[in-house]
Amino acid sequence: MDGFLDETRGGVTELRVHGASGTPPEGILNHPHPRLVAGDGITGFYRRWWASGPPAGDHADVPDTRRREAYAWGGLTSGGRAIALWLLLLPFSLANVSYFMLPRPPGGRRLRHATEAALRLFALLLTGTLVGAVTRAGVDLVGWQCTAAGRACTRPTAPGWVHWLGTLWGDEPSKRLAVTALVPLLLVALLWWAARHTWRRDERMVPPPAGDERTVPPPGGGRHAVPPPAGGERAGVLLARPRLWHGGAPVWRLRVVHVCFALATIGLAVSAPFAGTTRGLVLTVANGGVQLAAAVLVALPWIARRVDPHSGESAPGWLTPACRALRVATLAVLAATIGLALAGMPAGPAARQLPGGGFGSFQLALTVALGLFILVTTGVLARMDRTMAGRRPLCGMAAWFVLMAAAGSANGLALGVLFWTATFFGVPGTSAAPDPLGRRLFLDDPVWWTAALVPLLAVGFATLALVLWRIRESQARRLAPELQPYYGGRDCVTVARMWSLAALTDRAGLVLGVLTGIGVAGTLAVTAIDRFRLITPDGGIAGLLATLGSWAMTAFVLGLVLLGRRTYHDPRLRRTIGILWDISTFWPRAVHPLAPPCYTERVMPELMARVGDLARTDRDEVVLSGHSQGAVIAAALVPQLGSELRHRVRLLTHGSPLRRLYAVFFPAYFGDAGLSAVRTAVTWCNLYRLSDPIGGPAFRQVDPLATAKAAKAAAVPAVPVGEGADGAAPVKGAPEGGQAGEDGVDRFCWDPLPARPGQPLPAARWHSDYWLEPSYDEALARLITAKPAV
């Protein structure tokens, strides 16, 4: 190859790990010619290729001395076209995230295990909610209602691909149900395929064997020796447990149970309307038995338990055969249900809607009961948890609020599917609509009542946005006079508004709590109204709200479909949408196996292998430089490394959400104990800005204005920071490279820099381009202690 590419491994390596949105290698390296040196097109390690030969300068790559390397993992969350399907799986991801938010007090182990079992059951019902909505749309609205004799789909104007059902089997509902059941069956098959494909790619990474050294598969094949982690569970640091990122067996078991539950949901929709006959009753009981067996299995503690490959511990020997037996039984019952329905089963009295809705009501009641149980137990666990100092968003009960957000998004998707289907094939109607039926397709009253909540949520969101705007303006007015000595008249107002806007991230708990509270309170209210038949959603204010909500849900599903279609064809949009998955899929699939895959289960072994290759001797050193989500990955990697290897590793984080988001919402993993363990294990420097809406200090925020005032009061000469890449002037009163906190880890960076006289204020960098900061180079130089070989 012409040009120069350093492929050596000795000396000092600055290993950069990018954050959300799948930053390309040229952006991570700040170099136009990256070259892959290890890995593949999905994840890989890149270095700079120099077209004109070996470079010169302080930042050049020098073989066996120093180099810059980038680890690009964005292909796992924003590279593939399958991300278009992931848009439908947000409720499942939120359920997994809520699991890792649970408080873990030392004395609450049994209560926490009971809460985790309830979470797994709740996640199972989320699968039933989405699959049940598609089943209801296909089997009830189309198969039972629309294609019945004289209904909307039997008219000449109906689409030909459903018109034939009414023409051929208008008076044989079981055959119509069997055919329309293919729609939800295809959905379940697609979910199963996607989950299995990503499981085989990511979660079946070969676990490291026991011993003084362990081997993990590098991204390009082969095996590399890496020392085992030291002081993992003995130190009580959850991030140090190797089993956290090895979930092949439990995810497989959970996937079997969820798929069987979903298939039984479809079987019940086909068989329950004929439960008055012997065959229909037998099939209904069999499908219900499959669901019961799935619920029992998912509640068992061992079903999702991850095992440290070094401990010799294993799951009970009967558990895997039980899952396989459930799979065989489910397929047999489903085949019998579809087969007998196609053969024809006698119909009962004519009904407007699909009979057998009692199972749906039972699942709704069970969902409410589980939600209340998790609310109580999470509250007790939060009260018992005294390990986290500082602010506790939502009183330590963020897990429950996120779980309710998962339920709300699942119900929103379900309603959208139902209203869109009813609108496409006919006209949505309430159960109280009078004859003649015409083109009406009837939806249950609870569906209409839930739709009525949508306008209320919109009003709540608008009100909350107004409150946040007022908070921002108030903070900006308070901050502007303090910034005036540094930025001048008009610029100080602009910077104050920037910093105040970024500070709104700290109100994330308030936003989640208010919106979830409105949704939960509204759901309880409309449930009571429907249960006691106080009013009906077909007139007055209630009818107007329900109609507006139905239109909103229909538009939401249409927009989601269009967004998914564009995402499938547009790589840039995939990167943008991928930001959501970069955050939510950091955590393993602990309670819901059909969620988008956890990229960390592949990233961790690859990074461990690479760090082991680059830091073989005491003369070698690796500086892990993580930006944004990359900072979280790097911090989680440190406890997984062996003690000898950690002495050759340095940590440089920037734009890091570790304290601001992860420590407050995931205190059991990134709380004070977890971050202190990282600080003890390696030398660490963290850069942050007050204009950054995501990143922040890892331990304690420096007040730059108070520090500058103290320096002036002590008559300490101001030392300006170096000019930025845009040629802006230095900030008066700020030490070189920013200001360091008392903990020795955090360093504040001014952004934006003040304008030169007569020049406009430079553009703020907000959350990006930390490695272009002068303070970045200074921090990197301070962290490097290894001396090159002579």
Side-chain angles (χ1 to χ4, degrees):
M1 178 190 298
D2 296 333
F4 170 76
L5 178 67
D6 176 21
E7 297 189 73
T8 63
R9 298 177 181 176
V12 176
T13 304
E14 177 198 354
L15 180 55
R16 295 182 172 183
V17 184
H18 68 79
S21 81
T23 307
E26 53 268 26
I28 310 172
L29 294 172
N30 192 30
H31 187 75
H33 305 298
R35 290 292 186 271
L36 184 70
V37 294
D40 52 32
I42 300 176
T43 62
F45 296 88
Y46 294 81
R47 292 187 183 176
R48 296 177 290 185
W49 176 73
W50 305 89
S52 57
D58 294 338
H59 301 291
D61 296 326
V62 181
D64 290 315
T65 302
R66 65 173 183 263
R67 69 199 54 81
R68 181 184 298 171
E69 184 170 296
Y71 177 59
W73 53 270
L76 294 173
T77 57
S78 57
R81 295 172 183 260
I83 192 175
L85 172 65
W86 292 5
L87 291 169
L88 303 174
L89 306 182
L90 179 61
F92 302 164
S93 286
L94 292 177
N96 283 323
V97 170
S98 71
Y99 169 85
F100 290 96
M101 288 180 168
L102 278 177
R104 300 174 69 97
R109 184 176 181 181
R110 291 185 177 179
L111 183 60
R112 178 171 54 82
H113 286 172
T115 307
E116 291 171 352
L119 274 174
R120 291 193 297 272
L121 274 171
F122 198 96
L124 188 69
L125 294 176
L126 286 181
T127 299
T129 297
L130 288 183
V131 174
V134 177
T135 303
R136 199 79 182 177
V139 176
D140 180 9
L141 293 179
V142 178
W144 183 270
Q145 297 188 46
C146 193
T147 55
R151 302 292 291 272
C153 291
T154 62
R155 298 185 178 188
T157 56
W161 43 277
V162 294
H163 178 73
W164 69 273
L165 278 174
T167 303
L168 187 62
W169 293 324
D171 294 320
E172 298 182 83
S174 70
K175 296 181 180 181
R176 302 198 309 270
L177 299 190
V179 172
T180 52
L182 292 176
V183 176
L185 284 175
L186 287 174
L187 172 65
V188 174
L190 183 60
L191 291 175
W192 169 84
W193 175 84
R196 182 176 181 271
H197 172 72
T198 54
W199 171 75
R200 295 183 67 180
R201 184 192 69 185
D202 302 331
E203 286 153 320
R204 293 192 68 193
M205 300 291 285
V206 179
D212 294 334
E213 290 187 331
R214 65 186 185 180
T215 57
V216 294
R223 301 175 76 85
H224 297 276
V226 181
E233 294 188 29
R234 293 191 300 274
V237 179
L238 297 179
L239 287 174
R241 295 178 175 177
R243 70 189 190 196
L244 179 62
W245 311 114
H246 300 291
V251 172
W252 176 85
R253 292 191 293 263
L254 283 172
R255 188 175 73 244
V256 169
V257 171
H258 277 250
V259 170
C260 290
F261 187 87
L263 292 177
T265 299
I266 301 170
L268 276 174
V270 175
S271 61
F274 311 99
T277 66
T278 302
R279 284 185 295 177
L281 180 60
V282 170
L283 292 174
T284 300
V285 171
N287 283 291
V290 168
Q291 286 199 327
L292 179 61
V296 171
L297 279 175
V298 86
L300 296 177
W302 268 106
I303 192 75
R305 184 169 298 175
R306 294 172 177 238
V307 176
D308 187 342
H310 306 294
S311 67
E313 191 179 15
S314 62
W318 56 266
L319 192 56
T320 297
C323 292
R324 289 175 176 161
L326 177 65
R327 182 171 59 185
V328 172
T330 302
L331 293 176
V333 171
L334 180 65
T337 302
I338 300 298
L340 291 175
L342 281 174
M345 287 192 284
R352 285 184 171 186
Q353 295 175 254
L354 187 73
F359 290 97
S361 300
F362 174 76
Q363 289 189 16
L364 175 62
L366 182 58
T367 302
V368 172
L370 285 172
L372 293 175
F373 176 79
I374 296 170
L375 171 64
V376 173
T377 56
T378 304
V380 174
L381 289 172
R383 288 181 63 87
M384 296 172 62
D385 188 10
R386 304 299 182 198
T387 60
M388 181 185 173
R391 66 188 185 96
R392 293 161 57 95
L394 303 172
C395 301
M397 297 180 60
W400 183 81
F401 282 92
V402 170
L403 189 66
M404 293 302 102
S409 58
N411 280 288
L413 285 170
L415 261 64
V417 169
L418 290 173
F419 280 114
W420 179 85
T421 304
T423 302
F424 183 84
F425 289 102
V427 177
T430 65
S431 60
D435 290 331
L437 302 181
R439 297 183 64 245
R440 289 195 184 93
L441 298 179
F442 299 98
L443 298 171
D444 295 330
D445 284 356
V447 172
W448 286 98
W449 279 120
T450 309
L453 291 177
V454 175
L456 299 180
L457 282 173
V459 171
F461 184 83
T463 304
L464 184 60
L466 178 61
V467 170
L468 291 176
W469 180 80
R470 296 289 298 272
I471 291 174
R472 175 202 176 186
E473 293 299 308
S474 175
Q475 291 181 338
R477 285 194 298 269
R478 178 188 57 79
L479 187 59
E482 300 182 43
L483 290 173
Q484 201 276 336
Y486 309 98
Y487 288 98
R490 298 182 63 180
D491 287 351
C492 71
V493 176
T494 302
V495 175
R497 290 173 63 86
M498 289 181 187
W499 289 13
S500 299
L501 178 63
L504 291 181
T505 302
D506 299 323
R507 311 278 180 173
L510 171 66
V511 174
L512 177 63
V514 170
L515 293 181
T516 305
I518 293 174
V520 171
T523 300
L524 293 176
V526 298
T527 300
I529 291 172
D530 179 69
R531 178 68 179 84
F532 296 105
R533 303 293 180 184
L534 300 179
I535 53 177
T536 57
D538 57 353
I541 298 297
L544 177 61
L545 291 177
T547 301
L548 291 175
S550 68
W551 291 345
M553 290 292 95
T554 303
F556 171 70
V557 169
L558 286 174
L560 203 61
V561 171
L562 293 175
L563 181 62
R565 183 177 178 180
R566 281 197 57 197
T567 302
Y568 187 83
H569 295 285
D570 188 347
R572 295 184 62 183
L573 184 58
R574 285 202 295 273
R575 282 185 54 195
T576 303
I577 299 296
I579 295 174
L580 175 65
W581 309 120
D582 291 342
I583 298 170
S584 63
T585 59
F586 170 82
W587 296 105
R589 296 190 270 202
V591 297
H592 207 299
L594 303 181
C598 169
Y599 58 85
T600 324
E601 301 215 27
R602 174 168 172 169
V603 166
M604 285 296 169
E606 290 183 355
L607 279 174
M608 290 162 60
R610 191 62 179 175
V611 171
D613 282 346
L614 297 173
R616 293 173 178 268
T617 70
D618 289 337
R619 288 190 176 274
D620 303 328
E621 203 166 73
V622 175
V623 180
L624 283 170
S625 175
H627 173 250
S628 190
Q629 191 67 16
V632 181
I633 293 173
L637 174 68
V638 167
Q640 294 280 324
L641 302 175
S643 57
E644 291 186 5
L645 190 55
R646 289 202 297 260
H647 291 310
R648 304 169 192 154
V649 172
R650 306 292 181 264
L651 182 60
L652 175 56
T653 55
H654 34 101
S656 164
L658 280 167
R659 170 64 63 179
R660 196 171 195 176
L661 297 177
Y662 279 79
V664 296
F665 287 106
F666 307 98
Y669 295 86
F670 289 100
D672 294 331
L675 295 182
S676 297
V678 174
R679 177 173 57 182
T680 302
V682 296
T683 304
W684 184 6
C685 181
N686 178 64
L687 307 177
Y688 70 97
R689 307 167 178 145
L690 290 185
S691 60
D692 190 338
I694 298 175
F699 291 94
R700 186 176 180 183
Q701 180 168 301
V702 177
D703 185 346
L705 305 180
T707 304
K709 289 178 182 177
K712 289 181 179 180
V716 178
V719 182
V721 297
E723 290 188 357
D726 51 13
V731 176
K732 298 178 180 180
E736 185 176 0
Q739 296 171 217
E742 298 176 359
D743 52 75
V745 172
D746 295 307
R747 294 189 67 83
F748 166 77
C749 304
W750 290 85
D751 182 63
L753 295 176
R756 289 182 177 276
Q759 298 294 322
L761 184 71
R765 288 174 172 157
W766 301 91
H767 183 58
S768 62
D769 293 336
Y770 273 89
W771 29 56
L772 301 182
E773 290 272 2
S775 52
Y776 180 90
D777 293 331
E778 296 161 9
L780 186 65
R782 282 194 301 269
L783 288 172
I784 296 173
T785 59
K787 303 300 180 183
V790 180

